[in-house]
Amino acid sequence: MKRSFSVGRASTGALCLALLVPLSAACSDDTSDTTTTKPDSGGGGTTGGGGTTGGGTTGGTTAGADGGTTLSLYQRLGGKTGLEMFVKTVVETKVLTDADLKTFFFNQVASPIPAGHPSALQIEVCFGRFVGAALMADTYPGAAVNDPANTNTPNHTCRSMIDAHKGPGTMLNIGSANFDKFVGAIAASLMPLVKPTATKAGEITQAEFDALAAALNGQKMDVTTTGAPSSGPFVPTLYDRLGGKAGLEAFVKGVVDNHIVSDANLKTFFFNQVATPIPAGHPSLKQIEVCFGRFVGAALQADTYPGAAVADATNTNTPSFTCRSMVDSHKNATVVGSQLHIGSGTFDKFIGYIAMDLQPLIKPTATKAGQITQGEFDALAAALNGQKADVTTPGASATLGPFPN
Ligand code: HEM
């Protein structure tokens, strides 16, 4: 039977793709194709990546202009099974064999896979479903994807593109060129399917190819991270290399405990913290450390300041402390005990201690936890020094000395 290219469901899917709204409700909630004729084809075609298409397990056919049937794009890509096979083949032959791209799948090669992370199989099913939803033939995230081999997360619920690539606990720090290489691998596997007239399983038109490529490229903002190395292997963000939230708090605690409160001059500024009880409205050292770590985290665009109130039951007057602005913390004229009268020399000494503890982390190439580059060190130092006007009080002594200096 002769089939003509459908301008029905398949092209609507392509339009959806072209508009780069693959996950909008309009694109994803319609899982039923208007089947007019049972597909009499759907087998046989092979994708460029080697996965077999065909099967047409989901979706139906649309009536062609001549009364015949035309397979939807989803069907020609092999439906659910075919798309999964296609993704599996691309992942296994092009992504996991690429020296750089494969390093991003560190969770998948860990044994066991850390809780909350999908196995390669679960990613493949989610990915296939993602494309299926863009073609209006499947729903994303849909039901949890089962893989008993992923012992910590045997039932994984597919996440949004942001959560899967740069959400809490999954900061892949993907750069632009790596994204392009990944999409390029998919495109290279789709390319051999392009035919002038695509009517059968395993065939797509140039326009459909372009729309698919555009839809994938449209995910770039959600998948990549600003400031990530464009190419090369996975490198954790600076925030993660500094140990994330817990690591930064521990670092600040180390600076405070080892240097600040043991410095004869600097420690005198923390008179509220050594009072019993700490006067109302003032943070404990622990609360200061959490706020400080969060402040640096926010400067690295990985945390929010002031964020949630910081708990410390031992600070009886203020067991729940909301981090304040730098001005309010150091020279708020209206809050008793918040006029710290910090001068230039005191500020410089304080920053000097932080720099002293950061310095040993500097490495020519910083790729792992506990490593930072000279450039990153300089940027951190500049960010801290940039607070000088907000922290210091004009007229306070420029020379190091005890409070009230
Ligand atoms: C258009 C581009 C992309 C799409 C549509 C896409 C889609 C997906 C999907 C559907 C998942 C599974 C959802 C989930 O984890 O809940 C996933 C996970 C993942 N993707 Fe992508 N992806 C894209 C680009 C990339 C790139 C460029 C890389 C690496 C270079 C990458 C690496 C990963 C990794 C490692 C995971 C698993 C994360 C984890 O361990 O928690 N993806 N992606």
Side-chain angles (χ1 to χ4, degrees):
M1 181 190 299
K2 181 171 175 278
R3 287 184 200 87
S4 60
F5 173 58
S6 165
V7 290
R9 190 151 309 277
S11 60
T12 311
L15 178 69
C16 233
L17 287 161
L19 291 174
L20 307 183
V21 286
L23 288 186
S24 71
C27 292
S28 63
D29 62 0
D30 181 0
T31 57
S32 63
D33 268 342
T34 43
T35 306
T36 52
T37 314
K38 185 136 182 63
D40 59 358
S41 178
T46 50
T47 65
T52 53
T53 61
T57 53
T58 311
T61 56
T62 47
D66 61 356
T69 56
T70 300
L71 297 175
S72 69
L73 174 56
Y74 185 63
Q75 284 178 312
R76 281 177 281 123
L77 289 171
K80 182 174 153 57
T81 317
L83 265 175
E84 278 172 22
M85 292 282 289
F86 175 81
V87 173
K88 184 173 159 58
T89 305
V90 176
V91 168
E92 286 173 9
T93 64
K94 302 228 165 91
V95 176
L96 296 181
T97 53
D98 181 278
D100 294 331
L101 294 183
K102 72 176 182 189
T103 62
F104 289 84
F105 294 79
F106 53 90
N107 285 314
Q108 285 63 45
V109 293
S111 189
I113 296 171
H117 298 280
S119 64
L121 179 96
Q122 287 164 323
I123 294 177
E124 285 153 12
V125 172
C126 288
F127 202 116
R129 200 180 278 176
F130 186 83
V131 177
L135 297 176
M136 304 198 322
D138 207 342
T139 309
Y140 195 91
V145 181
N146 182 257
D147 180 4
N150 186 358
T151 47
N152 284 316
T153 319
N155 292 303
H156 177 75
T157 299
C158 304
R159 297 165 293 177
S160 71
M161 289 305 101
I162 290 181
D163 283 352
H165 302 94
K166 53 180 179 179
T170 313
M171 176 36 95
L172 299 179
N173 207 22
I174 297 170
S176 177
N178 275 330
F179 178 90
D180 293 346
K181 201 199 259 186
F182 183 95
V183 173
I186 300 172
S189 293
L190 275 176
M191 208 101 74
L193 311 187
V194 176
K195 298 281 176 301
T197 322
T199 54
K200 294 200 294 280
E203 295 182 344
I204 64 174
T205 64
Q206 183 65 48
E208 287 169 340
F209 171 88
D210 293 345
L212 277 166
L216 292 173
N217 281 321
Q219 306 305 316
K220 193 162 190 171
M221 282 284 286
D222 287 356
V223 169
T224 55
T225 299
T226 312
S230 180
S231 58
F234 167 72
V235 173
T237 60
L238 174 55
Y239 182 68
D240 283 350
R241 278 179 280 127
L242 289 171
K245 183 174 150 59
L248 266 174
E249 276 171 24
F251 176 83
V252 173
K253 184 170 161 51
V255 175
V256 171
D257 291 355
N258 301 330
H259 305 305
I260 313 275
V261 297
S262 52
D263 180 290
N265 293 306
L266 291 185
K267 72 177 182 189
T268 62
F269 290 81
F270 293 81
F271 52 88
N272 283 314
Q273 285 65 44
V274 293
T276 307
I278 296 171
H282 295 280
S284 65
L285 274 185
K286 186 186 153 193
Q287 287 164 325
I288 293 176
E289 286 155 9
V290 173
C291 288
F292 200 115
R294 199 179 281 175
F295 188 82
V296 177
L300 297 176
Q301 283 155 20
D303 207 342
T304 313
Y305 194 91
V310 182
D312 181 3
T314 67
N315 186 358
T316 47
N317 283 317
T318 319
S320 182
F321 177 79
T322 299
C323 305
R324 298 166 295 175
S325 72
M326 290 306 102
V327 170
D328 284 352
S329 312
H330 303 95
K331 53 179 181 181
N332 190 323
T334 61
V335 177
V336 178
S338 282
Q339 275 292 327
L340 298 181
H341 209 246
I342 296 170
S344 167
T346 306
F347 180 88
D348 292 347
K349 184 82 185 177
F350 184 95
I351 302 298
Y353 280 130
I354 300 174
M356 187 192 289
D357 279 7
L358 274 177
Q359 232 132 24
L361 310 186
I362 299 175
K363 298 283 175 287
T365 323
T367 55
K368 292 202 290 272
Q371 298 183 336
I372 65 174
T373 63
Q374 182 66 50
E376 288 168 341
F377 172 87
D378 294 344
L380 277 169
L384 292 172
N385 280 318
Q387 305 307 315
K388 195 163 189 171
D390 285 356
V391 171
T392 55
T393 302
S397 171
T399 317
L400 184 63
F403 173 85
N405 192 19

